[in-house]
Amino acid sequence: MAEIFEILMLVAFGASWPLNVIKSYKAGTAKGKSLSFLLLILGGYVCGITSKLINPVYMADFGQKWYVLAVYILNFIMVFADLCMYFRNVALDKKAKAE
């Protein structure tokens, strides 16, 4: 039951990231984005993933609870994609400033 609530929390946090990545791509600018915020969120997901991997109780029942780790990884990928968009947009901002 605890895993269900954990997944609901992860889904709630992760639902906005795909839209945020698309918005970052369309915006073409890094203005309004915070690198430290993105890195903090990524670090949080790394900690969550690590906690699952080093928890012997979770790993012993991994065959039935793999989906919790999968949601952590999916959220990490979405935030990482937004981080990539941030660096792309920083480069676009520099290019636009130079022109």
Side-chain angles (χ1 to χ4, degrees), residues 9-31:
M9 180 267 306
L10 289 168
V11 168
F13 287 164
S16 63
W17 287 112
L19 298 173
N20 203 27
V21 171
I22 292 167
K23 183 180 174 185
S24 293
Y25 179 78
K26 287 181 178 179
T29 183
K31 293 176 182 161

Side-chain angles (χ1 to χ4, degrees), residues 30-74:
K31 293 176 182 161
K33 284 285 192 179
S34 170
L35 177 60
S36 58
F37 176 76
L38 290 172
L39 293 175
L40 186 63
I41 297 297
L42 278 176
Y45 283 127
V46 167
C47 290
I49 292 166
T50 303
S51 75
K52 293 297 180 193
L53 294 176
I54 65 173
N55 183 337
V57 175
Y58 176 81
M59 291 308 289
D61 203 19
F62 182 75
Q64 294 181 352
K65 297 180 181 177
W66 60 268
Y67 51 87
V68 178
L69 187 61
V71 177
Y72 271 104
I73 293 169
L74 180 61

